[in-house]
Amino acid sequence: MRVLLTGGSGFIGSHIALLLLERGFDVVILDSYANSSPNVINRINTYLDKNDLRYKIEIINGDIRDKKIIDNIFLESIKQSKNIDIVIHLAGLKSVSESLNNPLHYWDVNVLGTLNLLLTMKEYECYSLVFSSSATIYGLSDSVPISEDHKISPINPYGETKVAIEKMFFDLYNSNTNLWKICSLRYFNPVGAHPSGVIGEDPVGTPNNLFPFLTQVAIGRQKLLNVFGDDWDTKDGSGIRDYIHIIDLAEGHLASIDYLNSKESCLEFINLGSGNGYSVFQIITQFESSIGCQIPFSIQSRREGDVAKCYADISKAKKLLGWTPKRTLDQICLDGWNWQIKNPNGYR
Ligand code: NAD
Ligand code: UDP
């Protein structure tokens, strides 16, 4: 089976790529390297070679906004009698603050990029799609756990672009309910790394997110962790989130492919999280105990746009996809740390 994986050299995409290749899929990666390094692909190749695995990978360096490039991928595939069977679409921009400063860029890359892709898929009669949506579309609600029928009310342009894309899926699916097969996966907080330490999360500049910041404090790249608020309405006053091991998340995509293959047509919006909520203090304590270190931290005021609690109801993913996250918070800390210690400066 041939998969087009957009954004395949990014944090999430690289882990999905590795799993797909290990399981015998023929993978075409389209990435502009706007937020990733070509080294990622070398790492994946080296890992698979070392494990004596045969694999089929093709890399296209290009921008999702350039429709000709997408057209060409489908055209070349047909010429080689290796049609693209399914698309996993992750290419896009994901920084909330950047989206507030430069909203049009986010609409351009995320929404227009997706529109281009859907137009080409339609032209070449490829109707199966797995998409990377986000829990950010649920907005400022604290009513947890969050299920898929929760109110959609994004509070920043990044979230708005994900909602617009989901609306596009809705209209497209309803235009012919016998044709399209789409899973829009709403990720919560993907963290950790591949257990080998060959690939992991490598944010550009100072990390915005808790987990990469924490591992950078542990390795000495950051002095201390700022805890954004200890006065939230939670058991210890710090914010609660749903951290899911990146390999569990990647496995959710393989389960989605199986699900789409079993259907004549469908459109499903599905949460992918661990289903558990952990506070910032719980994460610090678990990380310290997993790797045996002390994390210096300082309490700061609340971060704008944060909520007290956000974690997923994952019963739909369990039921539809037959998928359950298997890895513990301890495993997340160990694998995240293993990646950080083996790659103190990421891919650089
Ligand atoms: P990432 O930035 O590591 O990966 C995105 C990839 O897309 C990068 O390799 C980047 O170079 C590529 N890209 C960006 N613009 C492109 C363009 N115009 N053309 C082609 N490629 C382009 O991010 P990630 O964490 O792997 O996220 C992947 C997807 O999952 C994104 O769509 C993101 O919105 C979504 N998501 C991520 C999270 C998270 O916490 N990481 C949570 C929810 C949803
Ligand atoms: N957080 C923190 N310090 C940081 C980064 C994040 O205390 O340096 C907190 C943040 O306020 C939230 C939780 O950690 O309660 C998770 O934040 P992250 O940005 O990783 O995920 P998101 O809030 O986008 O779900």
Side-chain angles (χ1 to χ4, degrees):
M1 194 167 195
R2 194 154 214 237
V3 181
L4 169 60
L5 175 61
T6 75
S9 62
F11 170 45
I12 299 172
S14 57
H15 289 81
I16 297 173
L18 191 46
L19 255 60
L20 287 170
L21 292 161
E22 274 181 320
R23 294 182 198 186
F25 286 85
D26 178 351
V27 180
V28 183
I29 288 180
L30 170 64
D31 204 301
S32 65
Y33 304 120
N35 196 39
S36 57
S37 158
N39 286 340
V40 175
I41 307 297
N42 302 334
R43 295 286 188 95
I44 290 176
N45 289 340
T46 309
Y47 174 83
L48 294 169
D49 289 340
K50 263 193 189 157
N51 286 283
D52 270 339
L53 288 165
R54 289 206 186 153
Y55 57 96
K56 287 186 202 143
I57 187 169
E58 196 180 324
I59 312 297
I60 313 289
N61 176 3
D63 196 302
I64 192 80
R65 289 168 295 176
D66 185 345
K67 189 169 179 302
K68 280 196 196 119
I69 288 187
I70 312 175
D71 285 344
N72 207 41
I73 294 173
F74 279 84
L75 195 62
E76 284 301 315
S77 293
I78 287 175
K79 276 191 199 156
Q80 296 165 30
S81 305
K82 295 191 299 186
N83 289 15
I84 306 276
D85 300 296
I86 189 162
V87 177
I88 302 181
H89 176 37
L90 289 97
L93 303 173
K94 62 167 184 179
S95 156
V96 168
S97 56
E98 199 184 33
S99 80
L100 286 160
N101 292 329
N102 198 352
L104 291 182
H105 188 43
Y106 271 65
W107 281 86
D108 188 25
V109 173
N110 292 1
V111 180
L112 266 182
T114 306
L115 178 61
N116 273 340
L117 183 65
L118 290 171
L119 285 168
T120 304
M121 287 176 71
K122 189 164 182 259
E123 277 159 35
Y124 287 89
E125 300 181 348
C126 172
Y127 298 115
S128 296
L129 175 70
V130 179
F131 175 67
S132 56
S133 189
S134 168
T136 193
I137 66 172
Y138 296 122
L140 285 178
S141 166
D142 261 356
S143 70
V144 284
I146 297 178
S147 63
E148 290 80 357
D149 53 14
H150 186 283
K151 190 170 161 236
I152 303 296
S153 52
I155 58 156
N156 51 63
Y158 166 62
E160 292 287 359
T161 64
K162 294 290 181 188
V163 175
I165 293 165
E166 288 202 347
K167 284 188 175 153
M168 210 147 61
F169 295 156
F170 188 78
D171 289 346
L172 185 61
Y173 175 75
N174 283 312
S175 67
N176 182 348
T177 52
N178 297 319
L179 203 57
W180 287 87
K181 306 194 222 184
I182 302 175
C183 276
S184 184
L185 303 176
R186 296 172 177 169
Y187 309 154
F188 279 66
N189 297 58
V191 286
H194 191 272
S196 64
V198 290
I199 51 172
E201 187 170 13
D202 182 20
V204 176
T206 309
N208 293 314
N209 300 111
L210 176 66
F211 204 82
F213 204 102
L214 186 66
T215 58
Q216 289 197 9
V217 172
I219 198 104
R221 275 174 70 181
Q222 307 290 342
K223 258 167 90 182
L224 52 77
L225 176 73
N226 292 313
V227 175
F228 298 137
D230 64 349
D231 55 352
W232 293 99
D233 180 19
T234 60
K235 47 190 180 282
D236 62 19
S238 65
I240 291 181
R241 294 291 183 277
D242 182 328
Y243 300 94
I244 174 170
H245 194 297
I246 186 69
I247 300 295
D248 281 326
L249 187 90
E251 285 176 349
H253 293 71
L254 278 106
S256 299
I257 293 179
D258 289 343
Y259 177 74
L260 294 185
N261 285 339
S262 74
K263 304 296 285 185
E264 286 300 316
S265 66
C266 64
L267 169 61
E268 297 292 350
F269 302 99
I270 305 175
N271 287 342
L272 285 190
S274 69
N276 301 309
Y278 291 103
S279 74
V280 176
F281 290 129
Q282 280 179 308
I283 296 291
I284 296 174
T285 307
Q286 178 63 59
F287 190 82
E288 289 179 334
S289 114
S290 295
I291 75 155
C293 73
Q294 282 284 104
I295 297 292
F297 65 84
S298 141
I299 308 294
Q300 302 293 326
S301 48
R302 294 179 181 191
R303 186 174 64 176
E304 205 186 326
D306 266 357
V307 287
K309 303 171 208 150
C310 176
Y311 57 91
D313 175 341
I314 54 168
S315 47
K316 185 170 180 184
K318 286 181 176 173
K319 194 171 157 212
L320 282 196
L321 308 179
W323 165 90
T324 11
K326 301 187 199 85
R327 290 149 187 95
T328 60
L329 193 56
D330 179 45
Q331 201 60 51
I332 287 175
C333 294
L334 288 169
D335 290 340
W337 178 239
N338 181 44
W339 152 255
Q340 185 70 83
I341 197 124
K342 285 185 173 156
N343 307 273
N345 295 308
Y347 291 105
R348 281 165 293 273

